[in-house]
Amino acid sequence: MKWLESVNWKKMSIGLVVIFVVVILTWQLLRLMTVEQTVSAEEAKNKVQELYKGEIVNIEETAEVYQITIKLDTGKYEIEIARNTGDIGKLNRVSKAVANTPEEQSSEGGGEVVTPESPPEEQKEQTHISKEEAISIALSQVKGEIDDVDIEQSNGLNYYLVEIETNNDREATVQINAISGEVMSITWDD
């Protein structure tokens, strides 16, 4: 009888150990599956270069975001990329492009040229190109009459959709990056 009690005790002990191991393994597996994937600095840099086609000047890392400074034809911009999702959180123009000669500065049409030495309040005033600038850019690509202009956002990227009615009764939609002024696409409706 003692022998039988000893065998039952051994079976129960082995069963409890197996259950304990299975619970620990399941817990670890679930923890690994729910851990958020973080975006590397290189991935964030590549995403910004893909979207904006500029020169990366600086990358700063914090616990939550990568702050990337990029130089484009229209100026310098600071872009925040969330480390856990890779989404663009904030995009601010830090400075406008500085014209090289006094003639270029006066031909830019009025507005003050913001230089890197300007106070931060002035630098962050304008983060988007204006609706009028978007229309001008669109008309430089497609000749016609403006039908509609909307500003949209997708994946943290702001852009204008400028619809133009052409003389041959076709309609074009020009997609323009609202920060850099870059033409992203032109689509035609028949």
Side-chain angles (χ1 to χ4, degrees):
M1 191 66 128
K2 270 191 169 205
W3 176 78
L4 191 56
E5 287 176 14
S6 155
V7 170
N8 282 339
W9 177 250
K10 286 181 184 178
K11 285 182 181 179
M12 280 181 73
S13 297
I14 292 172
L16 287 174
V17 168
V18 167
I19 290 172
F20 180 73
V21 168
V22 167
V23 167
I24 295 294
L25 288 174
T26 304
W27 174 69
Q28 288 292 338
L29 184 62
L30 286 173
R31 200 180 103 215
L32 284 173
M33 290 171 52
T34 58
V35 169
E36 291 182 4
Q37 294 292 329
T38 59
V39 176
S40 72
E42 189 65 27
E43 290 170 324
K45 176 183 169 185
N46 290 341
K47 180 175 185 168
V48 168
Q49 283 185 316
E50 222 175 80
L51 288 172
Y52 298 105
K53 314 271 189 277
E55 174 190 346
I56 301 293
V57 177
N58 187 29
I59 298 177
E60 293 180 23
E61 297 182 34
T62 68
E64 298 173 0
V65 297
Y66 294 106
Q67 188 168 15
I68 300 173
T69 305
I70 187 169
K71 183 178 177 184
L72 302 173
D73 292 339
T74 56
K76 278 188 183 176
Y77 300 85
E78 286 182 351
I79 303 168
E80 286 186 2
I81 305 280
R83 289 182 73 144
N84 60 347
T85 62
D87 289 338
I88 296 175
K90 241 197 259 185
L91 196 145
N92 292 320
R93 184 183 339 217
V94 178
S95 65
K96 286 185 181 180
V98 178
N100 295 330
T101 65
E103 296 83 38
E104 289 177 25
Q105 288 179 351
S106 64
S107 69
E108 284 186 358
E112 176 184 332
V113 176
V114 178
T115 64
E117 293 80 33
S118 298
E121 301 82 49
E122 290 179 30
Q123 291 177 355
K124 293 189 179 180
E125 244 177 54
Q126 183 179 0
T127 58
H128 290 83
I129 63 172
S130 69
K131 183 177 179 180
E132 290 73 24
E133 289 173 307
I135 289 171
S136 175
I137 292 167
L139 288 173
S140 73
Q141 299 293 312
V142 177
K143 303 299 178 213
E145 201 170 305
I146 299 298
D147 189 31
D148 191 25
V149 180
D150 293 313
I151 189 162
E152 303 279 329
Q153 182 181 36
S154 176
N155 295 328
L157 177 66
N158 293 324
Y159 56 90
Y160 284 98
L161 292 177
V162 182
E163 294 177 10
I164 300 173
E165 188 75 35
T166 64
N167 292 339
N168 58 356
D169 291 330
R170 292 184 70 200
E171 187 174 282
T173 302
V174 182
Q175 183 181 13
I176 300 169
N177 184 308
I179 301 300
S180 68
E182 176 186 354
V183 175
M184 299 167 64
S185 68
I186 300 174
T187 54
W188 292 90
D189 293 335
D190 292 322

